[in-house]
Amino acid sequence: MKPDTDSICFGLSEELDRSSFAVFLRLSGQLEFAELLASRLSREEINTHVDTFMALLRKYLTEDEYHSFFLNQ
């Protein structure tokens, strides 16, 4: 199912921010987009993104959730 990009809106409510962020994450995970962006980022930008994202995963996911939901193991 294709993410509904018309539903993305930040700053109006926490609930809308959360649902918009979920759509945003789905969009950023599309293979073609991910490969395009990865080809254009600098090594420093990649490291910054990975460090920030991994810090969020460590903060908010248990080890089991990390393996199950992020790594799909």
Side-chain angles (χ1 to χ4, degrees):
M1 181 174 173
K2 184 178 175 186
D4 179 12
T5 57
D6 292 335
S7 68
I8 296 176
C9 183
F10 294 100
L12 296 180
S13 71
E14 184 174 348
E15 182 181 339
L16 187 54
D17 287 352
R18 290 181 187 280
S19 64
S20 294
F21 187 61
V23 173
F24 178 84
L25 287 174
R26 286 189 62 204
L27 291 169
S28 64
Q30 295 178 83
L31 181 58
E32 188 175 4
F33 171 75
E35 289 174 345
L36 175 67
L37 186 59
S39 73
R40 296 182 181 177
L41 294 176
S42 70
R43 174 183 251 167
E44 182 179 306
E45 290 167 326
I46 291 170
N47 288 335
T48 298
H49 179 76
V50 169
D51 290 345
T52 302
F53 191 71
M54 290 304 296
L56 289 171
L57 295 182
R58 282 190 294 276
K59 183 175 180 177
Y60 293 105
L61 298 180
T62 65
E63 186 173 347
D64 287 342
E65 288 171 330
Y66 171 78
H67 286 276
S68 178
F69 292 101
F70 184 69
L71 298 180
N72 293 313
Q73 294 179 341

